[in-house]
Amino acid sequence: SSWLPKLHDEVQAIAEGLVGGARYGVKIRFPHALIMTLLFHRTNVNDNGIGNNHHGSTTTTTTATLLDRAGQKLRHILKLTYAHASRLAVFAAGYKTGLFLLKWAALQHWQRRRLESANDNNK
């Protein structure tokens, strides 16, 4: 009977670890990915004549190309953010699950020891 509320609390802690890990992963990774992508990430320009040609001259960059580059950068930022947030969420949930399993194993051990001790005293 006393085990059920503890089980509920442990499952709730695991779920909170999952959500909290994802939230913290987004909070940390999004600004980092944004700055690093804007500073260092180069987008691929399609072979449609826009950008550097084979003769070394540069053609005019259109608004569509700029929007395409911005979309590529945004997708890259979101991809990095999602990957980091999901990994951190899984790690946090795994950590909380590991703690639960250790608590459960310790409880089983001490209950078994208490039973053995009670049986030894009754002999």
Side-chain angles (χ1 to χ4, degrees):
S1 63
S2 66
W3 177 248
L4 289 177
K6 287 186 176 191
L7 179 62
H8 177 267
D9 292 343
E10 296 297 334
V11 171
Q12 184 176 359
I14 292 168
E16 288 173 357
L18 187 72
V19 172
R23 184 179 301 126
Y24 189 72
V26 169
K27 180 180 175 182
I28 294 302
R29 183 59 171 171
F30 181 77
H32 180 264
L34 177 69
I35 297 302
M36 297 305 284
T37 299
L38 292 177
L39 290 177
F40 299 113
H41 186 259
R42 296 189 185 272
T43 55
N44 296 328
V45 178
N46 297 333
D47 291 329
N48 58 3
I50 300 171
N52 292 329
N53 64 22
H54 298 294
H55 304 293
S57 65
T58 304
T59 58
T60 306
T61 303
T62 64
T63 304
T65 303
L66 291 176
L67 288 175
D68 184 48
R69 288 179 182 172
Q72 287 177 11
K73 287 187 179 201
L74 180 61
R75 281 189 295 279
H76 183 71
I77 291 165
L78 294 176
K79 180 181 171 186
L80 292 174
T81 302
Y82 174 79
H84 186 259
S86 60
R87 288 178 185 141
L88 192 55
V90 167
F91 176 81
Y95 179 80
K96 295 284 186 171
T97 302
L99 285 179
F100 164 68
L101 292 174
L102 287 171
K103 287 178 193 177
W104 180 79
L107 178 67
Q108 296 300 313
H109 172 75
W110 289 112
Q111 285 179 345
R112 200 169 30 253
R113 294 270 313 230
R114 191 172 51 194
L115 270 173
E116 290 170 359
S117 176
N119 287 339
D120 289 341
N121 291 338
N122 290 336
K123 289 183 182 179

